[in-house]
């Protein structure tokens, strides 16, 4: 028997036997925590009570913050670039100089600030810190239209800015549907206008618990979730630990799937992609050609190791330099939108976005000085505490929809994702798009979310009729 046959036999038998011999772990209990300033109380019973008021919030950056930014941009010191390269070494300093010039002389923060303030924003204290969120209610005239709560959760290095183009598509009624969404977009604590945790340990598990509390405070006890990047991980936590609150979860990024059995399927897929991936698009996305995919992942995930180990070190550098911050963030909007953009002199940044849109996202990090606290989420989520929760094996049984965008960094085929997401009712191979679909392809994503929720509602009706 050859090595290929042995691997195939071992993989198939493992995929069958491991779930029987290694049952699903129980959902962890996520106890209340406190992330406020000062000495940590000795016992949860001594945690200070939160101010549960919902306070309207308006972005209004101080003039001296903008003046300081301009001074730093005027005095930016950039490295000498290599000749005959584009973005293969990261953000090219020649193009960065153009971005800085635009930022300093043409970009209008006050105009962008007004755009950001077009949607109602609020702050409320949860577990000792202020959580910022957008809350957009639809305007409906037809009483037969059902209003459905939907939480959109961003990731890194994004922010709620990513959702401004998709919000009107979700909150505006359409002729062919009897429902519309009421959208809640929280900023992850430590990101943007949400207060950063002042105590160590805040992970995606804690973000999930905080967001469930936020929805309860808004009187939403059953709701839909949508997320990519960290938003996907937080949605997974909420869906697996608090399934009674989740009507359905829609994801455009899936990173954690089903423990050992799914890993064996990955191994089989290297040799026999068609046995694991359901469609040619899914085969190409994960397995073909395999070594090229491995190199791509190594190239694109170095940041995660730095942020997962020493976030404050790299954070200090980019917190002090707007040019450095822009390079660090915008490079991700280049290669994570399309890996081929590394071969373009401008990183292809304006093929899908405008510089205004991109710089507004950077500004959210700059004016709040939140880049370092945003990076800490990597370290805390990679901690032993979170590993002990066994989220990689924790099943998600709520109705699940997955949208695979072809330029996503990595996305498991349905046949692997189902080991963790046990109730996938929709898996869409998207025609185009990358890691930031709400920002890049809002119509495609909004339509897929709508189709998913329509399927969930139809299945629920059928279930109730039986």
């Amino acid at each position: 028997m050859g090595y290929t046959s042995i691997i195939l036999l071992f993989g198939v038998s493992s995929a069958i036997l491991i779930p029987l011999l290694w049952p699903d772990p129980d959902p962890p209990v996520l106890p209340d925590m406190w992330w406020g300033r000062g000495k940590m109380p000795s016992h949860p019973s001594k945690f200070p009570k939160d101010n549960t008021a919902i306070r309207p919030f308006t972005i209004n950056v101080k003039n001296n913050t903008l003046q300081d930014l301009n001074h730093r941009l005027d005095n930016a010191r950039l490295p000498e670039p290599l000749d005959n390269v584009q973005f293969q070494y990261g953000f090219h300093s020649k193009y960065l100089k153009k971005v800085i010039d635009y930022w300093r002389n043409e970009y209008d923060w006050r105009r962008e600030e007004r755009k950001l303030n077009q949607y109602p924003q609020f702050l409320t204290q949860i577990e000792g810190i202020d959580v910022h969120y957008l809350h957009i209610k639809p305007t409906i005239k037809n009483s037969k239209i059902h209003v459905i709560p939907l939480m959109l959760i961003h990731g890194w290095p994004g922010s709620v800015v990513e959702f401004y183009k998709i919000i009107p598509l979700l909150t505006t009624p359409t002729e062919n549907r009897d429902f519309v969404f009421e959208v809640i977009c929280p900023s992850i604590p430590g990101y943007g206008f949400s207060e950063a945790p002042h105590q160590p340990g805040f992970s995606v598990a804690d973000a999930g618990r905080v967001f469930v509390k936020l929805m309860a405070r808004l009187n939403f006890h059953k709701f839909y979730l949508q997320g990519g990047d960290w938003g996907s991980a937080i949605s997974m936590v909420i869906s697996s630990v608090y399934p009674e609150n989740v009507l359905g979860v829609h994801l455009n990024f899936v990173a954690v799937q089903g423990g050992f059995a799914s890993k064996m399927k990955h191994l089989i897929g290297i040799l026999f992609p068609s046995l694991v991936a359901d469609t040619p698009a899914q085969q190409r996305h994960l397995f073909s050609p395999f070594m090229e995919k491995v190199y791509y992942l190594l190239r694109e995930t170095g940041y995660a190791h730095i942020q997962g180990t020493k976030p404050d070190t790299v954070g200090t550098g980019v917190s002090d330099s707007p040019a450095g911050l822009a390079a660090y963030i915008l490079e991700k909007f280049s290669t994570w939108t399309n890996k081929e953009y590394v071969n373009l002199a401008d990183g292809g940044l304006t093929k899908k976005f405008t510089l205004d849109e991109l710089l507004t996202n950077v500004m959210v990090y700059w004016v709040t000085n939140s880049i370092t606290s945003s990076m800490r989420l990597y370290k805390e989520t990679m901690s032993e505490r979170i590993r002990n929760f066994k989220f990689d094996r924790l099943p998600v049984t709520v109705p699940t929809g997955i949208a695979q965008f072809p330029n996503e960094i990595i996305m498991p085929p349905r046949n692997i994702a189902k080991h963790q997401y046990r109730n996938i009712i929709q898996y869409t191979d998207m025609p185009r798009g990358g890691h930031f679909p709400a920002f890049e392809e809002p119509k495609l994503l909004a339509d897929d979310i709508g189709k998913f929720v329509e399927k969930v509602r139809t299945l629920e009706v059928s279930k109730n009729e039986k």
Side-chain angles (χ1 to χ4, degrees):
M1 182 181 292
Y3 288 119
T4 298
S5 299
I6 293 173
I7 292 173
L8 179 60
L9 180 62
F10 180 68
V12 171
S13 60
S14 297
I16 295 172
L17 293 175
I18 290 299
L20 300 176
L21 302 175
W22 197 13
D24 296 330
D26 293 328
V29 175
L30 301 180
D32 292 342
M33 299 291 285
W34 184 78
W35 309 103
R37 292 183 182 275
K39 186 178 179 180
M40 171 69 78
S42 59
H43 191 271
S45 63
K46 297 182 179 180
F47 289 168
K49 290 186 177 180
D50 286 326
N51 176 3
T52 59
I54 304 294
R55 295 126 54 203
F57 176 76
T58 301
I59 301 171
N60 185 17
V61 175
K62 295 179 180 179
N63 286 329
N64 60 3
T65 299
L66 302 179
Q67 291 165 1
D68 174 72
L69 169 65
N70 289 337
H71 173 75
R72 293 170 189 255
L73 292 174
D74 287 337
N75 292 279
R77 185 179 69 170
L78 305 184
E80 181 70 22
L82 291 170
D83 294 335
N84 306 310
V85 300
Q86 293 80 38
F87 269 52
Q88 295 92 342
Y89 286 75
F91 206 106
H92 199 288
S93 58
K94 187 174 181 179
Y95 184 63
L96 181 57
K97 186 175 181 181
K98 294 180 180 180
V99 172
I100 292 171
D101 180 71
Y102 181 87
W103 195 357
R104 177 65 178 89
N105 298 304
E106 297 183 53
Y107 178 80
D108 184 347
W109 167 252
R110 292 303 180 193
R111 180 188 62 210
E112 297 301 308
E113 193 176 58
R114 288 191 293 272
K115 290 181 183 178
L116 294 179
N117 285 326
Q118 70 181 288
Y119 295 129
Q121 302 175 59
F122 303 89
L123 295 174
T124 190
Q125 190 180 64
I126 301 176
E127 299 191 357
I129 53 175
D130 280 342
V131 177
H132 165 261
Y133 63 97
L134 311 179
H135 188 175
I136 303 92
K137 298 180 180 181
T139 301
I140 55 173
K141 298 179 181 179
N142 186 345
S143 60
K144 295 182 180 180
I145 298 294
H146 299 274
V147 178
I148 298 174
L150 170 66
M151 174 176 277
L152 303 178
I153 310 177
H154 67 86
W156 187 93
S159 66
V160 294
V161 172
E162 292 179 64
F163 299 130
Y164 272 67
K165 288 188 282 189
I166 198 173
I167 285 171
L169 302 178
L170 296 170
T171 56
T172 302
T174 58
E175 293 182 359
N176 59 339
R177 292 198 179 111
D178 66 347
F179 62 88
V180 70
F181 295 105
E182 182 169 343
V183 174
I184 299 91
C185 304
S187 295
I188 300 171
Y191 287 67
F193 299 99
S194 276
E195 186 176 356
H198 302 284
Q199 309 293 335
F202 189 92
S203 69
V204 293
D206 304 292
R209 183 185 60 253
V210 165
F211 288 169
V212 169
K213 290 182 178 182
L214 171 62
M215 293 300 273
R217 191 167 296 179
L218 297 176
N219 203 30
F220 295 125
H221 301 285
K222 289 185 178 293
F223 47 87
Y224 285 88
L225 293 164
Q226 202 290 323
D229 197 88
W230 280 133
S232 169
I234 295 168
S235 295
M236 179 271 293
V237 169
I238 297 173
S239 299
S240 57
V241 179
Y242 308 99
E244 67 278 7
N245 297 114
V246 181
L247 296 168
V249 58
H250 184 280
L251 306 170
N252 56 270
F253 181 80
V254 176
V256 180
Q257 330 88 24
F260 187 80
S262 69
K263 291 179 177 62
M264 291 310 304
K265 281 194 174 181
H266 273 100
L267 182 60
I268 295 170
I270 295 170
L271 301 172
F272 307 101
S274 62
L275 294 180
V276 174
D278 302 300
T279 66
Q282 293 175 36
Q283 292 176 35
R284 290 192 300 271
H285 193 86
L286 191 60
F287 300 118
S288 302
F290 179 72
M291 289 311 298
E292 181 180 315
K293 175 64 72 173
V294 170
Y295 172 72
Y296 172 62
L297 289 174
L298 289 173
R299 188 186 78 192
E300 295 303 326
T301 56
Y303 79 98
H305 184 75
I306 296 172
Q307 294 175 194
T309 52
K310 303 293 178 66
D312 285 31
T313 300
V314 66
T316 299
V318 290
S319 291
D320 195 53
S321 167
L325 180 67
Y328 197 67
I329 288 178
L330 296 186
E331 184 259 327
K332 304 308 179 193
F333 282 88
S334 167
T335 54
W336 292 0
T337 299
N338 189 321
K339 65 180 180 180
E340 300 302 326
Y341 287 174
V342 296
N343 300 313
L344 300 177
D346 62 355
L349 280 169
T350 56
K351 286 185 175 293
K352 292 289 187 175
F353 315 106
T354 68
L355 277 182
D356 283 341
E357 291 171 342
L358 293 168
L359 287 172
T360 296
N361 181 63
V362 173
M363 284 290 286
V364 167
Y365 282 90
W366 180 260
V367 300
T368 59
N369 194 19
S370 61
I371 187 64
T372 303
S373 55
S374 75
M375 293 177 182
R376 291 177 187 146
L377 191 64
Y378 286 79
K379 181 174 178 63
E380 307 296 13
T381 299
M382 295 178 186
S383 68
E384 183 178 1
R385 168 181 173 246
I386 300 305
R387 291 197 301 273
N388 289 338
F389 287 151
K390 301 177 182 178
F391 282 121
D392 63 320
R393 292 175 47 219
L394 201 61
V396 174
T397 58
V398 303
T400 301
I402 297 174
Q404 177 188 266
F405 287 84
N407 292 322
E408 180 56 271
I409 305 166
I410 189 169
M411 179 73 89
R414 180 174 188 155
N415 201 11
I416 291 179
K418 70 181 183 182
H419 283 279
Q420 180 159 32
Y421 294 89
R422 307 288 174 80
N423 191 11
I424 300 174
I425 66 170
Q426 179 173 294
Y427 192 113
T428 309
D429 291 326
M430 289 297 195
R432 60 187 180 275
H435 189 68
F436 306 97
F439 208 21
E440 178 190 352
E441 297 288 350
K443 182 68 164 56
L444 283 179
L445 183 60
D447 287 347
D448 202 66
I449 295 169
K451 290 175 184 176
F452 166 67
V453 172
E454 201 165 25
K455 287 181 181 178
V456 175
R457 288 168 59 81
T458 299
L459 288 171
E460 191 63 28
V461 170
S462 299
K463 180 180 176 182
N464 292 335
E465 289 177 349
K466 290 181 180 180

